[in-house]
Amino acid sequence: SQKIEQNSEALNIQEGKTATLTCNYTNYSPAYLQWYRQDPGRGPVFLLLIRENEKEKRKERLKVTFDTTLKQSLFHITASQPADSATYLCALGHSSNTGKLIFGQGTTLQVKP
Amino acid sequence: DAGVIQSPRHEVTEMGQEVTLRCKPISGHDYLFWYRQTMMRGLELLIYFNNNVPIDDSGMPEDRFSAKMPNASFSTLKIQPSEPRDSAVYFCASSLGQGGGQETQYFGPGTRLLVL
């Protein structure tokens, strides 16, 4: 069955450092992958989308990589700030144009000042 | 734009009662999704609509759950009868469509449901 794995343990880093979050998947061939941010008590908010034919995407301090051979995406936040503390979800989209996403469990990031 | 609107924000009910959750998607969005989020299972897709038509309801846990979308600006998720294990946060999301970045989903604030 399809499976998406994100680090279940919280990631604690110091302000200014680079945070790296991992998303691994099995038994799936996504056409694209998205990363969302979720703050406590709120709905997820879209951050970045990367397609299967793209290796890397950047947006300000965010960078996403996508390796379809390793079946893995890495999400980087450079120069992290306490305001970056949140739960980050990866989501896989299929190529059949269904609009359907499958979400990982999310990784909680805590950036300490 | 007001974003995706959900009501109620919080609902506390007793086991056996009917619960109706409501969602207004972003105007012009063709897709509407209902999700359930719990600590144990994460964010799960229950059902989604395209142009008001249900496309995939394979995530609906059982017959006690039903969803409708009578028009492009309104959808409901109904649980009848409700059970304590239905306690969760229910999110509605909408998106424009497919391709060209339209796959981005915009989530509502969620309805926190507690069934006693």
Side-chain angles (χ1 to χ4, degrees), chain A residues 32 34 36 38 40-46 49 51 89 94 96-105, chain B residues 9 31 33 35 37 40-43 45 48 56 58 91 98-101 103-105 107-109 112:
Chain A
Y32 57 89
Q34 299 184 5
Y36 287 77
Q38 186 173 23
R42 305 178 80 99
V45 175
F46 171 77
L49 179 152
R51 301 193 183 278
L89 305 165
H94 199 266
S96 62
N97 294 327
T98 65
K100 182 177 177 177
L101 291 178
I102 299 178
F103 280 84
Q105 291 270 55
Chain B
R9 293 293 310 277
Y31 286 81
F33 307 83
Y35 291 90
Q37 188 173 41
M40 287 295 295
R41 301 176 67 90
L43 194 61
L45 178 65
Y48 78 94
D56 185 345
S58 59
F91 288 104
Q98 294 302 296
E103 308 92 334
T104 298
Q105 293 189 15
F107 283 76
R112 189 172 296 273

Side-chain angles (χ1 to χ4, degrees), chain A residues 58-70:
Chain A
R58 292 175 184 262
K59 179 183 175 183
E60 298 172 351
R61 295 185 295 111
L62 309 180
K63 184 179 86 170
V64 172
T65 62
F66 193 11
D67 189 326
T68 55
T69 301
L70 292 178

Side-chain angles (χ1 to χ4, degrees), chain B residues 51-104:
Chain B
N51 292 321
N52 313 338
V53 176
I55 302 299
D56 185 345
D57 65 355
S58 59
M60 296 286 260
E62 48 198 273
D63 291 345
R64 297 184 298 106
F65 286 69
S66 63
K68 293 181 180 179
M69 192 165 186
N71 57 63
S73 59
F74 183 67
S75 177
T76 59
L77 178 68
K78 188 174 292 187
I79 308 172
Q80 166 63 20
S82 58
E83 296 182 4
R85 60 191 167 127
D86 301 330
S87 298
V89 181
Y90 291 81
F91 288 104
C92 176
S94 68
S95 70
L96 271 170
Q98 294 302 296
Q102 296 181 95
E103 308 92 334
T104 298

